[in-house]
C-alpha cells in the first residue's frame, strides 16, 4: 500500500548550475558574488557589527541562499551546504508568488503576472489594433516573452535536487517523524517543483528530473504551465481563497477583476494533480490531499476512481457559512472537498463551520460524525497537527544555537524579552501587537528600560499600507523611549537563520501571537518546547496567544488568551506575563508542554491514516451495493429458532406508501392492519410502530389493532402494548424553552416567504414551504432558516433538518433510537430469563426507510454484535447507504409480504 501525499509544493526542488556560474556555496562564489542591485551581502542577523553602516532592510530582493517563510509559516531547518550531500544545498528563496520564476538558478516564468485589468478590454484592443495594422498593410511581428537562448541554457544545464523552502513545513516534518518512528509505510509525494517549467516542457531535461524524483525520492512532479500556476497560486489562492478563509473578504478591484479569470487556472492545476494521482494509483493505495490549493482534487479523483480511499485535510481555518457563501464558486469548492471519504480540520470550530456551510449551501444532512449525501456518507473530524519534538531537540544541540544563546545573553542582560515572528500581512496582526506594546509602555513607565520586543517580520513582495504603518509605529516607539543603550523594539523585516530562531525561542520571556485568524500556529508549540531549560536556564516563559488561532483551543486556558483588537487587554497581558510568579509560570507551562507533547506531528499523521482506514471500511460496509438483499427463507429460519420476538417498524414509507407527516391520513390500508393483527396472534410477538405523527393521529390510525405499541413524534411519545395512555419521553420544560427561541426565528422567515406556514407539534416545529408562491426563493430561505437555528440554538440540544418541502426542528435527546432502547429495557425488566430462554428477547427486527431509522438500525445491530440478542434483522428500504444489514427493493409491498409470511407461521 502506498500513501500519496498531495501538496502544492514537493519537499524537493531543482537547482541549475548555469554556464559561467560557480557552484553554490563554493569559495569562488563567495569571492565573486552575482551582481544583483540591492542584495544583502551576508546572512541576516539580529545584530549588526558596530563598525559598519547597517544596510537597508531587504524586502523582496534576496540572494539565492537566503531562507524564507513556508506556506504555513513554520520555520524549517535547512542544512548547511555540503560538497558531498546535494540535499544540503540551500533551496532558492521564495517568499510569495510574484518572485516565483525570478530566481537566478531556475527558469523564468512565461506567465504575465498580474494580468491586465480587464481581459475583455485587452482582447478587444488587440483585435482592433490587428484590424488597423491589416488595413494599413503592416505585418505583425512575432513577439518573444524571453529569449530562446535562455530556454536553451536551462534545457542543457547541470542540475541537482535540493531541499525546498516553500511548501507546508508542518506537514513535511510530520511525515518525516512518522516515517522515522515506523508509523507509516511507503509514501509518495505529489506536487509541483516550485519553479516555472515552460522553458523545460518537451525536453529530455524535464523527463530526467521527473524520473529521478520518482525513482530515487518517491516524488511525482506535477508540471502545469506557468500561466496555469500563476493564475492558480498568485491570484485565486492568494487573492480569493486565502483572504476569505481568514475572514478578509476581498473587496478591492484587483481581486474582484480576476476571480472568474483565475478560477479557470485553479481548475486546471487541480485537474493536473488529479490526473497524476489517477495515473499512478493502484487498488489499496491511500490518497491524502492537503490544503486550500487543492480543494477540487478529491472530487476529481473520486470521479475517475470511485473505490479510492481518499482523505482531505485543511490546514488553515474554515470560515463561517456567512463568509464562505461570498465565494462565487462556493458549491464547486464544497463538492470537490466532499469527494473524500474523510475530511479533517484543525479544531472543532472549523468542523462545525464546514458542516453548517454544507447544510446551508448544498442541502446536505449534517450529523455529529459528518455529512449524509444522497449516495454515501462523508466523515468529518478535527485533529490538530503538531511539531516534531525529536528533530527539534537534535537541532537545539547544535553549536551554532549555543553560540547565539551566549551572544543574546550578553546583549540583553538584565532585560525581559518578548519575541514574535510573523508574516507581514493583515491576518497576522503585527500592527495590533505593536500598538498594544506601545500602549503597555505608555501605561507602565517603570518597564521602559527593562523590556525589549523583538519582532521578526517576514515581508511579502507586495508593497502595502500595512508595511508603512508598521514601520511608522516602530519608529514612533523607538523615538519615544530609545537611547544610546536601549531600544524598545528590534524590528527585523526579514527572516533569521534557524540557529538564531531556536536561540530566540529558548531565551525569550514571552512569545506574543496576535493573529486575527489562523489555523494552527506551530511557532507557539516550538516556543513552549524550547522553554524546557535543557539548553538554557528554565524560564517557563508565558504565551500570549490570540483567541482567534486554532492553537488557542488546545491549551485549555493556560495561555494568556487575548483579543488582538482589544489593545488594553493585550497590554495588560504583557504586564501579567512579565510580573507572573514563578510557581504560576511553571504550572501553566507544564500543562502547555503536556499538550504540545501529546499533539505531535507524528501522532497527527498516523492517527489521520488510522481513522481513514476505519471510516473507509465503515462506509464500504454501509454502501447500498455492499448490503445484501433480505432473504425471506433465512428470515423464516431465524423467526422459527426464537421464542420472544420484538418488531420495531417504521410507518410512513414502510407500512404505507404515504410520506409527508403533514399529510392527513384518515385511515390505514386494510392490508397493513390485517398483517399486524396476524402477527400479534402469536403472544410471543411484540410489535411497535414508529412515526413522526402526533399521538392522537396514531391512535385514530391504529384503533383497530389491539396490543400494538406506538412511538409518536420520532420518539418523543411512547404508548406501550395493550395500553391507551401515552408516556411523554421528552422534558416538557426543555421543549417549551427551545420552542420559544425557535418560533421567533421561524416567524422571521415566514414573513419573508409568502405561502409558507409553521406547524406546531408537541415536541417539534415544522416550517412548511411546499405551497410557497416562489418555491426556489422559499428553498433558499428554508436553508438559511435551518442554518440560523442550528447556529443560534446549538446549546439548547435542538437541530433543524432540511427536508423536501419543509424544515423539521426537533430535539436531539429524544429520538426513535432512545424510544427503542426504552422499550427493550422495559421488556427485559418485565420478562424473566429461564433455562429455555437465555434472554428476555431473542429476536429483534427493525424495518425503516428514513434517516431517523438509521440510529435504530445501529442500536439493534449493536445488540446482536454484543450477543445480547440471538437474532437481529435490520432492513432498509431506502436507496442511500445504510446501517442496516439487509435491503429490500420491493418497497412497502415487499415489507408487507415478508411480514405476512411470518404472520402465517404464527
Amino acid at each position: 500500500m502506498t500513501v500519496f501525499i498531495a501538496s502544492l509544493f514537493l519537499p524537493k526542488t531543482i537547482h541549475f548550475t548555469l554556464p559561467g556560474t560557480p557552484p553554490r556555496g563554493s569559495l569562488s562564489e563567495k569571492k565573486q558574488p552575482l551582481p544583483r542591485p540591492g542584495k544583502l551581502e551576508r546572512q541576516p542577523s539580529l545584530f549588526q557589527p558596530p563598525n559598519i553602516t547597517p544596510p537597508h532592510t531587504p524586502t523582496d530582493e534576496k540572494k539565492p541562499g537566503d531562507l524564507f517563510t513556508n506556506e504555513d509559516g513554520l520555520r524549517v531547518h535547512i542544512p548547511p551546504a555540503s560538497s558531498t550531500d546535494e540535499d544540503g544545498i540551500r533551496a532558492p528563496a521564495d517568499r510569495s508568488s510574484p518572485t516565483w520564476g525570478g530566481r537566478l538558478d531556475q527558469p523564468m516564468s512565461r506567465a504575465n503576472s498580474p494580468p491586465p485589468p480587464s481581459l475583455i478590454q485587452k482582447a478587444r484592443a488587440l483585435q482592433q489594433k490587428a484590424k488597423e495594422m491589416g488595413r494599413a498593410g503592416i505585418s505583425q511581428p512575432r513577439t518573444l516573452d524571453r529569449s530562446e537562448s535562455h530556454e536553451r541554457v536551462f534545457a542543457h544545464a547541470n542540475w541537482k535536487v535540493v531541499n525546498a523552502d516553500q511548501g507546508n513545513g508542518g506537514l513535511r516534518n510530520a511525515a518525516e517523524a512518522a516515517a522515522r518512528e515506523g508509523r507509516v509505510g511507503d509514501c509518495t509525494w505529489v506536487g509541483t517543483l516550485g519553479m516555472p517549467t515552460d522553458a523545460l516542457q518537451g525536453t529530455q531535461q524535464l523527463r530526467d528530473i521527473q524520473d529521478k524524483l520518482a525513482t530515487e525520492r518517491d516524488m511525482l512532479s506535477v508540471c502545469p504551465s506557468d500561466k496555469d500556476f500563476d493564475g492558480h497560486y498568485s491570484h485565486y489562492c492568494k487573492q480569493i481563497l486565502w483572504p476569505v478563509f481568514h475572514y478578509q473578504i476581498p473587496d478591492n478591484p484587483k481581486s474582484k477583476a480576476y476571480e472568474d479569470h483565475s478560477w479557470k487556472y485553479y481548475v486546471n492545476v487541480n485537474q493536473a494533480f488529479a490526473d497524476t494521482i489517477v495515473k499512478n494509483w493502484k487498488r489499496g493505495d491511500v490518497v491524502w490531499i492537503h490544503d486550500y490549493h487543492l480543494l477540487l482534487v478529491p472530487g476529481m479523483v473520486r470521479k475517475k476512481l470511485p473505490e479510492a480511499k481518499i482523505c482531505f485535510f485543511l490546514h488553515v481555518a474554515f470560515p463561517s457559512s456567512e463568509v464562505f457563501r461570498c465565494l462565487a464558486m462556493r458549491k464547486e469548492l464544497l463538492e470537490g472537498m466532499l469527494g473524500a471519504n474523510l475530511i479533517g480540520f484543525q479544531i472543532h470550530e472549523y468542523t462545525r463551520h464546514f458542516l453548517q456551510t454544507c447544510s446551508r449551501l448544498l442541502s446536505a444532512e449534517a450529523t455529529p460524525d459528518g455529512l449524509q449525501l444522497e449516495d454515501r456518507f462523508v466523515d468529518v473530524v478535527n485533529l490538530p497537527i503538531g511539531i516534531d519534538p525529536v528533530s527539534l531537540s537534535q537541532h537545539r544541540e547544535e553549536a551554532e544555537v549555543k553560540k547565539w544563546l551566549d551572544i543574546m545573553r550578553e546583549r540583553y542582560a538584565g532585560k525581559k524579552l518578548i519575541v514574535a515572528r510573523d508574516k507581514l500581512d493583515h491576518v497576522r496582526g503585527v500592527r495590533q501587537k505593536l500598538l498594544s506594546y506601545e500602549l503597555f509602555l505608555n501605561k507602565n513607565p517603570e518597564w521602559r528600560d527593562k523590556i525589549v520586543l523583538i519582532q521578526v517580520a517576514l515581508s511579502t513582495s507586495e508593497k502595502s499600507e500595512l508595511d508603512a504603518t508598521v514601520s511608522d509605529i516602530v519608529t514612533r516607539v523607538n523615538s519615544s523611549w530609545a537611547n544610546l543603550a536601549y531600544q524598545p523594539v528590534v524590528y527585523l523585516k526579514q527572516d533569521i537563520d534557524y540557529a538564531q530562531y531556536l536561540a530566540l525561542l529558548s531565551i525569550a520571556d514571552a512569545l506574543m501571537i496576535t493573529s486575527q485568524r489562523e489555523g494552527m500556529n506551530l511557532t507557539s508549540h516550538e516556543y513552549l518546547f524550547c522553554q524546557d531549560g535543557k539548553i538554557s536556564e528554565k524560564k517557563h516563559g508565558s504565551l500570549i496567544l490570540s483567541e482567534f488561532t486554532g492553537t488557542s483551543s488546545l491549551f485549555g486556558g493556560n495561555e494568556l488568551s487575548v483579543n488582538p483588537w482589544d489593545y488594553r487587554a493585550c497590554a495588560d497581558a504583557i504586564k501579567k506575563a512579565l510580573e507572573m510568579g514563578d510557581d504560576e509560570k511553571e504550572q501553566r507551562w507544564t500543562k502547555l508542554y503536556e499538550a504540545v507533547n501529546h499533539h505531535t506531528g507524528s501522532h497527527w499523521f498516523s492517527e489521520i491514516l488510522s481513522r481513514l482506514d476505519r471510516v473507509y471500511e465503515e462506509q464500504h460496509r454501509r454502501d447500498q451495493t455492499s448490503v445484501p438483499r433480505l432473504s425471506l427463507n433465512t428470515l423464516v429460519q431465524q423467526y422459527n429458532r426464537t421464542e420472544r420476538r420484538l418488531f420495531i417498524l417504521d410507518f410512513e414509507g414502510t407500512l404505507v406508501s404515504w410520506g409527508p407527516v403533514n399529510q392527513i391520513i384518515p385511515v390505514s390500508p386494510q392490508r397493513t392492519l390485517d398483517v399486524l393483527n396476524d402477527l400479534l396472534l402469536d403472544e410471543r410477538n411484540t410489535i411497535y410502530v414508529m412515526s413522526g405523527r402526533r399521538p392522537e393521529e396514531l391512535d385514530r390510525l391504529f384503533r383497530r389493532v389491539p396490543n400494538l405499541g406506538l412511538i409518536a413524534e420520532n420518539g418523543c411519545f411512547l404508548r406501550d402494548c395493550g395500553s391507551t395512555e401515552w408516556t411523554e419521553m421528552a422534558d416538557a420544560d426543555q421543549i417549551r424553552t427551545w420552542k420559544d427561541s425557535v418560533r421567533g426565528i421561524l416567524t422571521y422567515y415566514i414573513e419573508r416567504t409568502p405561502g409558507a406556514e409553521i406547524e406546531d407539534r408537541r415536541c417539534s416545529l415544522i416550517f412548511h414551504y411546499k405551497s410557497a408562491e416562489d418555491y426556489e426563493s422559499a428553498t433558499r430561505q428554508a436553508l438559511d432558516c435551518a442554518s440560523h437555528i442550528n447556529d443560534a440554538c446549538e446549546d439548547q440540544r435542538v437541530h433543524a433538518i432540511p427536508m423536501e418541502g419543509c424544515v423539521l426542528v426537533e430535539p436531539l435527546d429524544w429520538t426513535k433510537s432512545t424510544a427503542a432502547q426504552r422499550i427493550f429495557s422495559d421488556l427485559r425488566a418485565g420478562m424473566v430469563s429461564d433455562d429455555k430462554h437465555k434472554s428476555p428477547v431473542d429476536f429483534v427486527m427493525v424495518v425503516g426507510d428514513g434517516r431517523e431509522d438509521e440510529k435504530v438500525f445501529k442500536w439493534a445491530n449493536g445488540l446482536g454484535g454484543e450477543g445480547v440478542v440471538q437474532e437481529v434483522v435490520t432492513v432498509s428500504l431506502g436507496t442511500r447507504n445504510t446501517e442496516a444489514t439487509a435491503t429490500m427493493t420491493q418497497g412497502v409491498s415487499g415489507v408487507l409480504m415478508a411480514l405476512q409470511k411470518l404472520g402465517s407461521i404464527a
Side-chain angles (χ1 to χ4, degrees), residues 594-610:
E594 290 174 355
V596 169
N597 274 320
H598 175 68
H599 295 286
T600 63
S602 175
H603 168 75
W604 168 82
F605 196 94
S606 58
E607 182 64 20
I608 284 285
L609 292 179
S610 297

Side-chain angles (χ1 to χ4, degrees), residues 407-462:
I407 294 173
M408 296 177 72
R409 286 194 191 100
E410 180 181 354
R411 173 68 178 84
Y412 295 110
K415 300 288 192 297
K416 295 285 188 180
L417 293 183
I418 297 179
V419 302
R421 177 181 176 273
D422 309 275
K423 276 186 180 180
L424 192 56
D425 59 27
H426 291 280
V427 173
R428 305 297 180 179
V430 177
R431 172 179 168 273
Q432 285 80 2
K433 183 187 307 174
L434 290 170
L435 289 174
S436 300
Y437 181 67
E438 181 182 28
L439 179 60
F440 166 77
L441 292 177
N442 273 320
K443 292 176 60 179
N444 302 277
E446 69 276 11
W447 278 103
R448 287 175 187 168
D449 292 329
K450 302 174 184 177
I451 183 174
V452 175
L453 170 64
I454 300 178
Q455 174 67 63
V456 179
L458 313 180
S459 298
T460 59
S461 59
E462 296 182 2

Side-chain angles (χ1 to χ4, degrees), residues 182-312:
R183 296 191 178 198
V184 65
D186 296 335
C187 287
T188 296
W189 289 79
V190 182
T192 65
L193 294 171
M195 69 177 190
T197 56
D198 275 8
L200 302 175
Q201 290 293 344
T203 66
Q204 185 61 40
Q205 185 86 297
L206 181 59
R207 288 191 289 271
D208 291 343
I209 290 171
Q210 291 176 314
D211 290 344
K212 182 166 185 176
L213 287 172
T215 56
E216 298 182 11
R217 308 286 180 169
D218 292 325
M219 296 181 184
L220 302 177
S221 54
V222 180
C223 298
S225 69
D226 296 351
K227 189 175 184 180
D228 281 349
F229 186 88
D230 185 67
H232 164 277
Y233 185 70
S234 305
H235 301 291
Y236 199 78
C237 286
K238 289 304 179 185
Q239 295 182 24
I240 304 296
L241 291 183
W242 173 266
V244 169
F245 277 47
H246 293 83
Y247 290 78
Q248 307 279 330
I249 306 299
D251 57 356
N252 60 77
K254 182 178 179 182
S255 61
K256 284 289 184 185
Y258 305 120
E259 181 162 358
D260 294 336
H261 160 75
S262 54
W263 168 253
K264 173 176 65 177
Y265 301 125
Y266 185 82
V267 173
N268 291 346
V269 172
N270 277 255
Q271 190 64 61
F273 270 81
D275 292 343
T276 302
I277 294 169
V278 170
K279 182 179 177 180
N280 293 273
W281 179 86
K282 301 295 182 185
R283 190 171 300 278
D285 290 345
V286 172
V287 180
W288 191 359
I289 301 154
H290 292 269
D291 230 359
Y292 65 100
H293 316 97
L294 306 175
L295 295 175
L296 302 179
V297 176
M300 292 173 171
V301 174
R302 177 69 61 198
K303 186 175 181 180
K304 295 289 184 66
L305 304 173
E307 299 298 319
K309 187 186 297 185
I310 304 173
C311 176
F312 176 82

Side-chain angles (χ1 to χ4, degrees), residues 41-52:
E41 298 291 341
R42 54 192 172 76
Q43 176 65 34
S45 170
L46 285 169
F47 312 102
Q48 311 294 348
N51 58 344
I52 66 168

